[in-house]
Structure formats: structure tokens, C-alpha cells
């Protein structure tokens, strides 16, 4: 950045993450940035699979409101607001930061086509989700607990499907508890967590007393846990999914639970049932469902805001931001020259 004018930042909050968290994280850049806050008051979130025809999903708010507010700004910081092509065309943005691990509410392809870098916040909720994974309900009396009898950690094998930020955090906690651990990841990490033995998925399923899912959803792994996968697991095994609902065929899961193939399941994500109907898994006595609260901690929100602020700071200083979702936008000299001239 060569000019003296401060960078104009639009920070968009939502009911989960207030806009003020972005402003607080940017406080260290006082004098180099000006911040406009837009707090989205809507409580209606788009479903995980949006049928509106937009190239974004799991967003909250109206793209038209964002498009009306973004002119006059250089950088856009969001959590769940919809960053559509309409929004991207409303101003010559130089940076979009999404304070969540999967920026599904940002049309990354449209941003890339316009040469706009997009960053995300990988790992911001890893510790929180890992804590939820190892948590459990408390009974009111000694005898009430008879229905929850299970095995001790040191006698059980834990299968971790996905060894990204969350999977690695879970591995550290599980190792301290004494679990034997197997791991599967189609793109294994450079450093496998201590105590984890990497195996093929079929091997993991057949040898694990407890399978915990931490994979990122892709078009190619939808319903990777279906009837065939559950049939490979030992009878009486347990299943945890704190990742994405699309990874699980819920009809197959319900069948495995009802038949006794699985002894129980704990889910932080589930498919949205038709309007006015009750989710069928809620009525199974061996299922625990939480409403996607794995990352719902103050620390998670603060980390997301700080990672977005760090991206702004690096670009203001003439450096490429970390955690670029579309690094190709800065891969060509002519794009870099345009960016530097604009800043």
C-alpha cells in the first residue's frame, strides 16, 4: 500500500458473530483502516443445500442488503453474510475475508474471476469442536446410569475420519484418555498425531469401537457413511459426527441404530427435515443431537475475527494474506500490479 488514505473495511455481523468483534480485532490498525459496521439482524439462515440458484449456501441475510452497503469499501469481512456475484460487482473490492473454516457463503469462483482474494479462518473452532466430541451427559443417580454402560477409554479403539485441525485436536485429547487410535484421511497430514495409526477406511471401520467424523464435505464424499459403511463396523459400535450432515445417509444411520448394529450415535449436525415435521432421529433413544453448536464459543468467534484482521493487516502492508482460498488471484504479476496500484 503506497497511498496515505486508510483502507475502508466493511465488517458484517450476524446473530452468531457480532460485527463489533471484527472492529475490536482491527483496533491495532487504527489510523490505517476505517471500519463500517453492518449488523445483520435476520435470524433466517439458508439451508446447507440452497435451492435458490445462488452459488452460495449456509448464509444468513439478503445479498441485496450487502450489495447496497459495500460501495465505497476496499475490504469486506463477513461471517455468515452472503457474498454473491451481485455483492462483488457492487464495489471494486480488494479483499474478502470469511471468518469461518468453510467459506460456503462466499462465491469464491466469482471472486476469483474478478481477481479478488478470499481468505478463510481454518482451525478457528478446532478446540471447541474437539471439546464437544469428548463431552457427554450426566446422570442424576448411580442407578440411572445403567442404561449408559459402555467401555473404558483404555479398552476402546477410536477411529478418526479426517485429521485436519479438529481431528488432530481430538487425537490429542483421546491420547490423554488412553484410547487406541486409528486414522484415515485421503490427504494425510504431514505430521500424523502421536498415537494415531493411519489405515484404510474399511480397516478403520472394521476395527473401531467408536468412529468420530471430522472430514470436510466435498461433492465426492456425500453419504460416505451409508449402509455399507455401518455394516463394516463391529456390532455395538458408536458413531459421532461433528463435521457435516451431508457425510451421513441418515436413513441408513437410523436403520443401523434400530437394528443394534450401532449402539448409539452423537450428532452435532443433521439434515433439515421438511417444514413442520420432526427429525426422525430425535425419537431414537440411542441418539444425542445438538444443534450445530460445536464451534459456539467466545474463543472461536474471537479467533475468526483476529484471522480476518490479520489478512487485512498483511494486505495493507503489501504482503499476501494467509489462508487464501483462491491463491491464483495473486499468482500473476499483472494481478499483483493491479492490487498494489489500487491500494
Amino acid at each position: 500500500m503506497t497511498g496515505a488514505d486508510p483502507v475502508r473495511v466493511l465488517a458484517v455481523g450476524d446473530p452468531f458473530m457480532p460485527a463489533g468483534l471484527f472492529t475490536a480485532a482491527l483496533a491495532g490498525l487504527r489510523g490505517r483502516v476505517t471500519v463500517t459496521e453492518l449488523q445483520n439482524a435476520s435470524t433466517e439462515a439458508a439451508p446447507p443445500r440452497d435451492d435458490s440458484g445462488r452459488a452460495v449456501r449456509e448464509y444468513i441475510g439478503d445479498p441485496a442488503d450487502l450489495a447496497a452497503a459495500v460501495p465505497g469499501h476496499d475490504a469486506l469481512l463477513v461471517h455468515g453474510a452472503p457474498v454473491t456475484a451481485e455483492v462483488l460487482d457492487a464495489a471494486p473490492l480488494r479483499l474478502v475475508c470469511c471468518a469461518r473454516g468453510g467459506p460456503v457463503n462466499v462465491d469464491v469462483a466469482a471472486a476469483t474471476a474478478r481477481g479478488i482474494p478470499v481468505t478463510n479462518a481454518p482451525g478457528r473452532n478446532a478446540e471447541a469442536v474437539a471439546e464437544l466430541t469428548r463431552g457427554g451427559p450426566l446422570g442424576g443417580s448411580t442407578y440411572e446410569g445403567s442404561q449408559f454402560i459402555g467401555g473404558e477409554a483404555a479398552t476402546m479403539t477410536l477411529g478418526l475420519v479426517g485429521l485436519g485441525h479438529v481431528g488432530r485436536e481430538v487425537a490429542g485429547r483421546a491420547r490423554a484418555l488412553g484410547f487406541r487410535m486409528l486414522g484415515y484421511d485421503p490427504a494425510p497430514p504431514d505430521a500424523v498425531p502421536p498415537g494415531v495409526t493411519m489405515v484404510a477406511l474399511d480397516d478403520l471401520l472394521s476395527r473401531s469401537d467408536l468412529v468420530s467424523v471430522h472430514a470436510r464435505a466435498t461433492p465426492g464424499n456425500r453419504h460416505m457413511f451409508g449402509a455399507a459403511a455401518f455394516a463394516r463396523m463391529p456390532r455395538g459400535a458408536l458413531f459421532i459426527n461433528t463435521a457435516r450432515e451431508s457425510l451421513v445417509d441418515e436413513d441408513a444411520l437410523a436403520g443401523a441404530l434400530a437394528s443394534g448394529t450401532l449402539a448409539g450415535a452423537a450428532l452435532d449436525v443433521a439434515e433439515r427435515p421438511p417444514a413442520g415435521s420432526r427429525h426422525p432421529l430425535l425419537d431414537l433413544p440411542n441418539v444425542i443431537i445438538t444443534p450445530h453448536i460445536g464451534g459456539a464459543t467466545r474463543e472461536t468467534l474471537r479467533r475468526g475475527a483476529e484471522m480476518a484482521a490479520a489478512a487485512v493487516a498483511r494486505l495493507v502492508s503489501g504482503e499476501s494474506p494467509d489462508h487464501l482460498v483462491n491463491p491464483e488471484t495473486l499468482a500473476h504479476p499483472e494481478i499483483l500490479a493491479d492490487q498494489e496500484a489500487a491500494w
Side-chain angles (χ1 to χ4, degrees):
M1 176 178 174
T2 57
D5 293 335
V7 173
R8 300 159 297 178
V9 177
L10 177 61
V12 185
D14 55 53
F16 188 81
M17 184 170 183
L21 286 176
F22 288 118
T23 303
L26 290 164
L29 295 175
R30 186 172 291 114
R32 304 182 71 187
V33 302
T34 60
V35 183
T36 303
E37 291 186 6
L38 175 64
Q39 183 63 38
N40 189 341
S42 173
T43 59
E44 293 297 322
R49 292 199 305 277
D50 185 30
D51 297 325
S52 67
R54 296 192 177 106
V56 297
R57 54 191 174 89
E58 290 185 26
Y59 58 87
I60 187 165
D62 189 337
D65 294 337
L66 195 54
V70 78
H73 295 91
D74 305 301
L76 174 61
L77 277 57
V78 302
H79 174 256
V83 184
T84 62
E86 172 189 7
V87 172
L88 296 169
D89 285 337
L93 291 170
R94 299 301 168 187
L95 178 67
V96 172
C97 300
C98 181
R100 59 197 293 191
V104 295
N105 53 301
V106 178
D107 189 339
V108 176
T112 302
R114 291 158 177 77
I116 302 172
V118 176
T119 68
N120 65 337
R124 59 155 196 154
N125 63 350
E127 293 187 24
V129 177
E131 291 293 328
L132 178 73
T133 297
R134 71 178 184 90
L138 297 177
S141 73
T142 300
Y143 303 104
E144 180 185 346
S146 63
Q147 61 183 303
F148 301 114
I149 288 177
E152 296 180 0
T155 70
M156 300 180 71
T157 297
L158 169 65
L160 297 170
V161 180
L163 284 168
H165 294 283
V166 176
R168 293 196 297 272
E169 289 286 344
V170 174
R173 288 157 174 77
R175 182 173 180 241
L177 292 172
F179 280 98
R180 296 185 298 270
M181 291 183 288
L182 302 176
Y184 166 77
D185 197 311
D190 294 334
V192 176
V196 176
T197 300
M198 299 300 289
V199 296
L201 179 59
D202 284 355
D203 195 16
L204 180 148
L205 294 174
S206 65
R207 294 169 56 188
S208 297
D209 304 295
L210 169 62
V211 171
S212 188
V213 185
H214 306 286
R216 183 171 295 282
T218 68
N221 65 11
R222 177 171 171 76
H223 287 183
M224 68 180 294
F225 288 94
F230 294 130
R232 292 188 186 99
M233 295 172 64
R235 187 169 183 83
L238 302 169
F239 181 76
I240 297 175
N241 182 19
T242 56
R244 289 291 177 178
E245 67 288 330
S246 64
L247 298 169
V248 179
D249 180 338
E250 292 182 350
D251 289 338
L253 175 60
L257 290 163
S259 69
T261 298
L262 295 181
L267 313 171
D268 189 43
V269 286
E271 296 279 4
R272 183 174 298 190
S277 63
R278 178 177 170 84
H279 199 292
L281 288 176
L282 289 171
D283 295 321
L284 295 180
N286 50 354
V287 176
I288 298 171
I289 299 182
T290 51
H292 203 25
I293 60 170
T297 66
R298 291 182 294 273
E299 293 78 9
T300 286
L301 299 181
R302 188 190 69 245
R303 288 188 200 101
E306 290 173 348
M307 293 170 84
V312 173
R314 287 184 65 84
L315 205 55
V316 165
S317 300
E319 302 174 87
S320 297
D322 293 326
H323 310 305
L324 274 173
V325 178
N326 55 349
E328 60 269 36
T329 56
L330 299 180
H332 302 289
E334 66 274 12
I335 293 179
L336 284 170
D338 289 345
Q339 289 281 349
E340 291 171 1
W343 286 96

